[in-house]
Amino acid sequence: MDPVFKRPNWDKYFMDIAQVASARGNCLRRQVAAVIVRDHRIISTGYNGTPRGIKNCFDGGCPRCSSDTPSGHDLGSCLCSHAEENAIVQAAYHGISVKDATLYTTFSPCLLCSKMIINSGIKEVVYHQKYSIANQALELLHEAGVLVRALEDEEENDS
């Protein structure tokens, strides 16, 4: 094998796919994506934005996102679905179990998404950046026995 040839490890591969998927997010505040994987196969993806059939956030679909409400405040009035939520719901919509899967997400999950992750049977969460209000969510995941890892930037090869 050519020593210059670099192949990303599985974590980097799936997180890179999540990063690309985040560009589909239509939330004005933040673009986030999640990829659910089992046996090194993608079984579902999701990105954040308004629900199916609702005007996109960037088209005025979510009044909170269009307002000057500070980050982390009045979250209950946001119409956008989170990336993790959408990935889990898309799998259910298509009849695909996420039990024992790994969820890769560009931001660590919020409390609501963490509850969905636990109840759906996902066994591991790998995130790229920590969400500023994620401490309670991460504690809940740990208490439920879900493995949570922050992705370190690695260049090593992994078959």
Side-chain angles (χ1 to χ4, degrees):
M1 185 166 92
D2 184 338
V4 177
F5 182 74
K6 298 226 184 223
R7 188 173 182 202
N9 66 31
W10 287 112
D11 284 344
K12 180 161 178 32
Y13 174 73
F14 292 122
M15 191 62 73
D16 285 352
I17 291 170
Q19 293 288 357
V20 170
S22 73
R24 289 285 307 159
N26 70 65
C27 179
L28 289 169
R29 301 263 177 140
R30 181 173 290 139
Q31 291 181 302
V32 180
V35 174
I36 301 177
V37 174
R38 191 173 45 238
D39 299 325
H40 295 131
R41 288 183 43 241
I42 295 171
I43 59 174
S44 187
T45 63
Y47 51 84
N48 62 331
T50 52
R52 179 179 292 146
I54 305 300
K55 189 187 312 181
N56 283 329
C57 185
F58 55 73
D59 290 328
C62 179
R64 181 192 174 273
C65 290
S66 300
S67 74
D68 59 0
T69 302
S71 181
H73 291 79
D74 199 21
L75 297 174
S77 68
C78 181
L79 299 182
C80 293
S81 297
H82 289 186
E84 302 90 340
E85 174 186 6
N86 278 330
I88 292 167
V89 169
Q90 280 301 305
Y93 182 83
H94 293 285
I96 300 168
S97 171
V98 297
K99 185 176 185 286
D100 296 328
T102 298
L103 184 142
Y104 289 86
T105 181
T106 56
F107 275 84
S108 60
C110 72
L111 184 59
L112 177 63
C113 288
S114 293
K115 292 186 283 186
M116 294 175 96
I117 288 165
I118 293 164
N119 285 338
S120 69
I122 290 171
K123 68 176 182 180
E124 182 178 19
V125 173
V126 181
Y127 68 88
H128 186 255
Q129 290 182 278
K130 187 176 178 191
Y131 186 37
S132 60
I133 59 172
N135 289 338
Q136 185 182 22
L138 295 175
E139 289 172 14
L140 189 68
L141 289 166
H142 287 294
E143 183 179 340
V146 176
L147 177 63
V148 179
R149 298 185 288 123
L151 182 64
E152 305 283 328
D153 288 329
E154 298 174 1
E155 293 274 338
E156 64 190 61
N157 295 334
D158 190 5
S159 47

